């Protein structure tokens, strides 16, 4: 996972299209029982999102929304919400086009049992709402 994180931090973004295909597995690994695996997977996902092209936002959003499902672990949900908030801050124009898919599942998690999921959902909903351009 450390090598993958190094590849994801590539300033030329050459690996982004290939890493995007692995996003569902990486998101699942963020909730792994082994703490080292979970931290490593989270680092790879964060590095990937930071180096992501604005044109790829609409490609990765369905994968992040899938990580918000009711059968997913709370750690995966919280991390997906954090990545959605980060993308909303980094690429607001592109995220505005994804509000229809991203906002309803994020709003549903405002009533989650786990506190960290609730907090991440609130942050994500605020960041997503700020992309609408409606002041």
């Amino acid at each position: 996972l450390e090598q993958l994180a190094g590849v994801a931090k590539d300033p030329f973004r050459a690996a982004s299209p290939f890493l995007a295909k692995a996003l569902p597995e990486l998101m699942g690994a963020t909730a792994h029982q082994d703490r080292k695996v979970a931290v490593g997977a989270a680092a790879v996902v964060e590095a990937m999102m930071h180096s992501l092209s604005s044109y790829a936002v609409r490609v990765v959003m369905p994968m992040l929304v899938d990580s918000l499902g009711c059968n997913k672990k709370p750690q995966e949900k919280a991390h997906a919400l954090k990545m959605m908030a980060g993308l909303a801050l980094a690429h607001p124009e592109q995220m505005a086009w994804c509000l229809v898919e991203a906002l309803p599942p994020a709003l549903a998690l405002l009533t989650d049992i786990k506190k960290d999921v609730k907090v991440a959902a609130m942050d994500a909903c605020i960041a997503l709402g700020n992309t609408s351009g409606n002041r």
Side-chain angles (χ1 to χ4, degrees):
L1 288 173
E2 292 172 1
Q3 292 174 346
L4 256 169
V7 170
K9 292 178 185 175
D10 177 21
F12 299 108
R13 300 179 179 165
S16 293
F18 303 105
L19 289 176
K21 291 181 181 180
L23 186 60
E25 291 83 15
L26 288 169
M27 288 304 298
T30 60
H32 197 273
Q33 290 178 348
D34 184 6
R35 181 84 174 134
K36 291 180 183 179
V37 172
V39 170
V44 172
V45 171
E46 288 173 14
M48 188 173 116
M49 292 299 146
H50 288 298
S51 67
L52 192 68
S53 168
S54 61
Y55 298 107
V57 171
R58 293 193 74 170
V59 174
V60 299
M61 274 312 294
M63 298 176 206
L64 290 174
V65 170
D66 287 343
S67 292
L68 303 179
C70 60
N71 295 333
K72 304 295 182 177
K73 293 183 180 178
Q75 297 89 348
E76 182 178 351
K77 291 178 187 179
H79 197 70
L81 288 164
K82 289 175 189 173
M83 294 303 101
M84 289 170 67
L87 286 176
L89 294 174
H91 307 290
E93 296 86 14
Q94 287 75 22
M95 283 298 290
W97 290 99
C98 302
L99 286 178
V100 173
E101 299 101 20
L103 201 54
L107 287 170
L109 291 177
L110 287 172
T111 59
D112 197 81
I113 293 174
K114 299 288 184 177
K115 184 177 181 180
D116 59 337
V117 175
K118 284 184 196 179
V119 171
M122 179 61 80
D123 293 342
C125 288
I126 290 170
L128 289 169
N130 287 336
T131 65
S132 72
N134 188 5
R135 303 282 172 212

